[in-house]
Amino acid sequence: MSINSFGHLFRVTTWGESHGPALGATVDGCPPGVPITPEMIQHWLDKRKPGQNKFTTQRREADEVRILSGVFEGVTTGTPIQLMIENTDQRSKDYGDIMDKFRPGHADITYFQKYGVRDYRGGGRSSARETASRVAAGGLAREAIKAIAPGVQITGYMVQMGPHMIDRDAFDAREIANNPFWVPDAQAAVDWAEYLDGLRKSGSSVGAIIEVTAKGVPAGIGAPVYGKLDTDLAAAMMSINAVKGVEIGEGMSAAMLTGELNADEISAPSPSEDIVEIMLDGATLDGTGAYIVRPQNANDKERWFMVKNVHHYVPKDDGILLQVARKELNKRLISSGNLPVVIPSGPRYSSNHSGGILGGISTGQDIVVRFAVKPTSSILTTRKTITKTGEDTEIITKGRHDPCVGIRAVPVGEAMMACVILDHLLLHRGQVGENRGHIGPA
């Protein structure tokens, strides 16, 4: 019974415990020839690792990933890939007081009821530490997606902490990396810092809602009835430790809408909405992904200019392959002499209440998933509980814990999105190949 695995063709099995010597993931079904190095995966693990600020657990783990198999001379071989992350900062003594007690709101009691034994050191497999394995697998999935569907971009961020929501009108994706909460609202980041600091000092915790979007997913991914893309996305997000709710698109709010409001009206696109793909010889990209640095000619100094509405970009040895909205095409972009390739846009939707999925199949719109993370169960506030022998008692959980574990759930949600999207891209390629239903003039 494979209860520690997920995925169909791209299949991930995670292993290890919070306070064991190591944890990791065994990934089977990754296509061969995908360029991969530990550094490519490490980038994503560094987003999730603990101890980066006062708002996360102060457990200090480097979370350095090792690739033990399935990669040769810098590319995947098509065989199982073993990823390992050593635990280096366990403090199991912190849990000595709870070895015979059950933490309210925690899986301690259900693990014991099922197996008759539990790893009380940090919760074992029920610990959020397990998610490091998922993030490692997700880093691998992202690199494989680049080879199959290079236009896909996955982004996660927090939209609510406790009762405090972001201002959607102030949404600014550039702010996500500028604060410890991965929140796209600069004012919310300031307000949440004060709110969470008070909770942290009081020894309590709070929950959060995370939103993950996948842009550039081709239409047609997923399958009807039992193979739905949203079915697998919901299962993947719900499997994350401490997640208690998942919604896609309008989600639960769709029940409050009329048919007229909920339906995403469809219209034909205008030529200005087409995507233009062009190679910029000798160009490089700065860290934000918004500016191109390119020389006018071999004797000229470098100059910068902003490229708006970048759909996707792929760094090459001799420049950048850039995808940009057709209306942004200008003389500076085509001065390199390369001819742009026009990629016609698909049907245009008036809204995205569906979250980019209809009938379990992607529409080509942004795929939007949200999940709710409950408050951390390990808190310094005294709570009533029982012992293994059935006696009433009280419990306080010592040690290093997240006052809002939802913060570090952002890169985990991104990883699960990547794994599911890659899995369905492979399934689609295996069954259908290229999309068969053409919309528009022949």
Side-chain angles (χ1 to χ4, degrees):
M1 189 163 60
S2 182
I3 57 177
N4 293 289
S5 305
F6 67 92
H8 304 283
L9 294 186
F10 183 80
R11 190 154 180 82
V12 178
T13 301
T14 68
W15 52 269
E17 292 82 34
S18 175
H19 284 229
L23 46 82
T26 304
V27 182
D28 203 0
C30 183
V34 175
I36 193 72
T37 65
E39 291 74 23
M40 292 176 177
I41 298 173
Q42 193 65 48
H43 168 75
W44 305 109
L45 280 166
D46 287 346
K47 291 181 64 176
R48 193 220 71 98
K49 72 180 181 182
Q52 298 191 68
N53 56 68
K54 66 181 180 180
F55 300 114
T56 61
T57 172
Q58 294 307 293
R59 179 171 174 172
R60 301 285 180 176
E61 292 284 359
D63 278 358
E64 292 184 2
V65 66
R66 293 175 60 194
I67 302 175
L68 304 184
S69 67
V71 176
F72 180 66
E73 293 184 340
V75 298
T76 58
T77 62
T79 57
I81 299 169
Q82 184 79 313
L83 306 172
M84 185 179 77
I85 304 162
E86 292 187 71
N87 290 323
T88 59
D89 190 29
Q90 310 97 312
R91 246 173 35 191
S92 300
K93 64 180 181 180
D94 289 341
Y95 296 89
D97 292 342
I98 69 166
M99 60 185 299
D100 294 316
K101 300 177 182 180
F102 302 111
R103 285 169 285 182
H106 198 280
D108 286 338
I109 192 166
T110 52
Y111 269 54
F112 181 75
Q113 287 173 312
K114 180 176 180 67
Y115 297 110
V117 61
R118 90 177 207 265
D119 186 347
Y120 60 86
R121 307 164 304 161
R125 286 286 286 168
S126 66
S127 169
R129 181 96 185 106
E130 182 270 346
T131 61
S133 304
R134 302 165 183 247
V135 174
L140 175 63
R142 285 177 186 261
E143 297 305 319
I145 288 173
K146 287 181 183 178
I148 297 173
V152 174
Q153 294 178 308
I154 296 170
T155 308
Y157 40 88
M158 191 182 296
V159 296
Q160 184 170 340
M161 179 186 290
H164 304 289
M165 295 181 285
I166 67 168
D167 179 0
R168 289 279 181 175
D169 291 334
F171 192 104
D172 185 351
R174 294 171 298 182
E175 290 295 329
I176 296 173
N178 292 339
N179 61 79
F181 309 119
W182 311 108
V183 59
D185 177 350
Q187 185 58 51
V190 174
D191 297 340
W192 293 4
E194 182 179 355
Y195 170 70
L196 189 57
D197 202 33
L199 277 175
R200 179 182 63 86
K201 290 176 180 176
S202 72
S204 190
S205 62
V206 73
I209 296 178
I210 311 303
E211 184 169 282
V212 185
T213 64
K215 296 179 180 292
V217 176
I221 304 304
V225 191
Y226 302 114
K228 291 181 176 180
L229 176 59
D230 40 1
T231 297
D232 284 350
L233 282 171
M237 301 304 175
M238 185 63 80
S239 74
I240 299 171
N241 309 60
V243 170
K244 299 300 288 184
V246 180
E247 60 181 14
I248 294 170
E250 203 65 45
M252 292 294 182
S253 297
M256 299 184 290
L257 300 178
T258 63
E260 293 88 346
L261 291 174
N262 185 66
D264 302 316
E265 292 186 299
I266 311 169
S267 60
S270 67
S272 66
E273 293 175 287
D274 292 342
I275 300 298
V276 172
E277 185 175 80
I278 187 168
M279 182 67 191
L280 298 181
D281 294 331
T284 57
L285 196 74
D286 87 328
T288 67
Y291 290 87
I292 297 292
V293 185
R294 67 182 301 265
Q296 279 292 92
N297 55 60
N299 300 318
D300 197 5
K301 64 180 181 180
E302 292 181 342
R303 70 170 178 172
W304 292 41
F305 63 90
M306 177 177 255
V307 177
K308 299 178 181 177
N309 297 328
V310 172
H311 183 70
H312 188 68
Y313 59 89
V314 180
K316 300 285 188 178
D317 291 339
D318 53 351
I320 293 178
L321 183 65
L322 181 74
Q323 289 183 350
V324 65
R326 186 171 186 170
K327 60 186 177 183
E328 297 298 332
L329 187 65
N330 56 52
K331 292 181 179 179
R332 286 191 294 179
L333 283 179
I334 63 175
S335 62
S336 63
N338 290 300
L339 295 177
V341 176
V342 177
I343 305 171
S345 60
R348 186 165 63 87
Y349 293 84
S350 63
S351 52
N352 192 17
H353 297 297
S354 71
I357 303 172
L358 290 171
I361 301 172
S362 62
T363 65
Q365 294 174 277
D366 294 353
I367 293 175
V368 183
V369 182
R370 282 178 299 280
F371 58 92
V373 182
K374 69 179 182 179
T376 311
S377 303
S378 299
I379 55 177
L380 292 171
T381 307
T382 303
R383 308 302 295 161
K384 293 181 179 179
T385 188
I386 61 173
T387 65
K388 286 196 294 186
T389 55
E391 299 168 326
D392 288 326
T393 186
E394 293 183 337
I395 188 171
I396 295 177
T397 309
K398 300 176 183 178
R400 303 160 293 177
H401 307 288
D402 293 271
C404 179
V405 74
I407 296 172
R408 293 195 296 127
V410 171
V412 182
E414 290 180 337
M416 298 307 285
M417 174 75 87
C419 289
V420 173
I421 294 296
L422 174 59
D423 193 30
H424 275 268
L425 285 167
L426 294 173
L427 288 167
H428 179 77
R429 186 170 67 172
Q431 182 192 23
V432 178
E434 297 294 329
N435 283 346
R436 302 179 69 84
H438 173 73
I439 296 176

